Amino acid sequence: MDFRLSEEQQQFSDSLRRWIEKDYAFEARQKIIHSETGASASAYAALAELGALALAVPEDAGGMGGSSEDLMIVMKEIGRGLVVEPYFATVLAAEFLKLGGAHQPLLERVATGDLKLACALSENGSGHELSNIGTLARQDGDGFVLDGAKCAVVHGGQAEGFVVSVRTGGEQRDVDGITLLYVPRNAPGLTVTDYRTFDGQRGADLRFEKVRVAASDAIGPVGQGWEILEAVTDFGVALLCAEAVGAIEAANALTLDYLKTRKQFGVPIGTFQVLQHRMADMYIHQEQARSITVLAAVKVQTASAAERRKLVSAAKVRVGKALKFVGQQAVQMHGGMGMTNEMSISHYFKRLTAIEMTLGNTDFHRSRFISQPEFAAH
């Protein structure tokens, strides 16, 4: 497989990187994450102007119809720049709307940057089990009435609408009986509690008390949402792996620069052979993570469901090992300063740690990988 970017993809990547380096330096990011909203409207508008949001939307809804490989480029640069705007949350929700069909007006607003979205998929006690859903939706007349709660909704406080997984049938852990609904932020009975997470991002808890939505707000078939739910979350895992690769590359670059400038015994510590060996191992982890992420991104929207599960989980496991090793080594080689908020390396470490726990951690995806029929057969 050719892992090189096309000329157009490289130009797009370069334009994103130039914007981040010019307008999203570490000091600017610090001000953003400590602001009231924890995100910058102007930065999000810049992403829309660059075409990053339109990439996630089909052409018939005013977008560019970009592939998962194109979105991987965006996520990699977001990881490199530690961008905290709700890009990933919105793109993931847009993928739900795209696969569900019949939501073109919402997708048109996503493409222009006019609509920020989030995905409410997790509940207290559900862990990484997406089918463990206690939020109930009963059909009532020409719509649904929701009762329940969702937690750890990435950028839920900044979203103007939510994709919510609910149960309309079956038992709490069944894959049957799951329905996906679009719920606008201003729906009566919906309470959103916003907070800042340890990695500088934003999260929110949602409470639904007799929240009514229309039948047309269903995303895909009622009671048969599992296939879309699994496919989109796998798509999200591939994008998170790309973000992690960008952050790993940046962490390695920062560490290498530090080794060249920090002196002990009158010489740069980068001349110490043991640290050179560590940097070599960090680079190997980076390249292995990059390679499997490209494979997952290329295949996640085109492979069969069985192959997609295998590739995505393999990528999350390999990237999880890489981000843990690189993050820990980078902080250690920076010394005590590496743990302080004044050093950007600590923020890369926190973000990498958060990525490892999002949409299934390393242990979850290792178990998922070995549970696949092809693995069991061997």
Side-chain angles (χ1 to χ4, degrees), residues 3 6 11 29 35 51 84 93 98 102 117 140 143 150 159 163 224 235 257 259 264 271 275 305 311 324 353:
F3 287 168
S6 68
Q11 290 174 347
R29 178 185 182 272
S35 66
V84 298
K98 185 173 76 172
L117 301 172
D140 183 59
K150 295 288 183 176
V163 173
Q224 302 175 45
F235 170 80
D257 285 343
L259 296 185
Q264 257 184 1
T271 61
L275 299 186
L311 286 173
K324 181 178 180 180
T353 301

Side-chain angles (χ1 to χ4, degrees), residues 85-293:
E85 274 57 53
Y87 179 81
F88 171 74
T90 299
V91 165
L92 195 65
E95 188 71 7
F96 275 110
L97 297 176
K98 185 173 76 172
L99 293 188
H103 293 278
Q104 184 165 317
L106 295 176
L107 287 170
E108 289 174 353
R109 294 178 61 196
V110 168
T112 62
D114 182 51
L115 180 65
K116 302 180 186 73
L117 301 172
C119 301
L121 310 176
S122 299
E123 301 184 6
N124 285 324
S126 65
H128 302 296
E129 190 180 357
L130 291 171
S131 64
N132 188 349
I133 300 171
T135 300
L136 302 177
R138 57 181 176 83
Q139 291 185 293
D140 183 59
D142 59 350
F144 299 89
V145 176
L146 284 69
D147 285 286
K150 295 288 183 176
C151 66
V153 179
V154 177
H155 279 293
Q158 291 68 52
E160 296 147 295
F162 302 94
V163 173
V164 185
S165 59
V166 299
R167 185 158 296 286
T168 52
E171 300 298 323
Q172 184 157 334
R173 288 180 168 82
D174 290 349
V175 295
D176 294 326
I178 295 172
T179 299
L180 301 168
L181 297 173
Y182 174 75
V183 180
R185 171 67 177 266
N186 59 2
L190 172 59
T191 303
V192 179
T193 304
D194 181 39
Y195 48 84
R196 191 170 75 201
T197 55
F198 73 91
D199 58 339
Q201 302 272 343
R202 305 294 291 196
D205 294 336
L206 274 57
R207 182 72 195 175
F208 303 90
E209 295 182 4
K210 294 183 171 53
V211 175
R212 180 178 292 275
V213 296
S216 58
D217 289 320
I219 301 170
V222 174
Q224 302 175 45
W226 173 250
E227 286 189 10
I228 294 178
L229 177 59
E230 187 184 42
V232 176
T233 50
D234 278 349
F235 170 80
V237 169
L239 296 187
L240 284 173
C241 286
E243 183 185 354
V245 169
I248 286 170
E249 290 181 358
N252 277 346
L254 285 169
T255 305
L256 183 58
D257 285 343
Y258 186 78
L259 296 185
K260 291 177 179 178
T261 56
R262 176 73 167 90
K263 290 186 177 182
Q264 257 184 1
F265 310 112
V267 297
I269 61 175
T271 61
F272 302 157
Q273 194 174 55
V274 66
L275 299 186
Q276 292 175 0
H277 288 170
R278 287 196 195 183
M279 279 302 312
D281 289 341
M282 290 163 71
Y283 182 77
I284 291 170
H285 275 281
Q286 169 189 305
E287 290 304 292
Q288 290 177 337
R290 184 181 70 88
S291 297
I292 199 167
T293 294

Side-chain angles (χ1 to χ4, degrees), residues 50 60 68 86 176 185 323 349:
L50 287 165
D60 60 6
S68 52
D176 294 326
R185 171 67 177 266
L323 64 83
F349 179 69

Side-chain angles (χ1 to χ4, degrees), residues 21-73:
E21 291 175 349
K22 179 178 179 291
D23 298 331
Y24 214 95
F26 180 65
E27 294 75 15
R29 178 185 182 272
Q30 287 289 78
K31 292 180 181 179
I32 291 171
I33 65 176
H34 289 99
S35 66
E36 184 178 352
T37 60
S40 166
S42 61
Y44 194 79
L47 285 170
E49 187 176 345
L50 287 165
L53 287 157
L55 273 181
V57 175
E59 292 182 5
D60 60 6
M64 297 181 183
S67 65
S68 52
E69 188 177 357
D70 295 325
L71 293 171
M72 175 193 72
I73 296 168

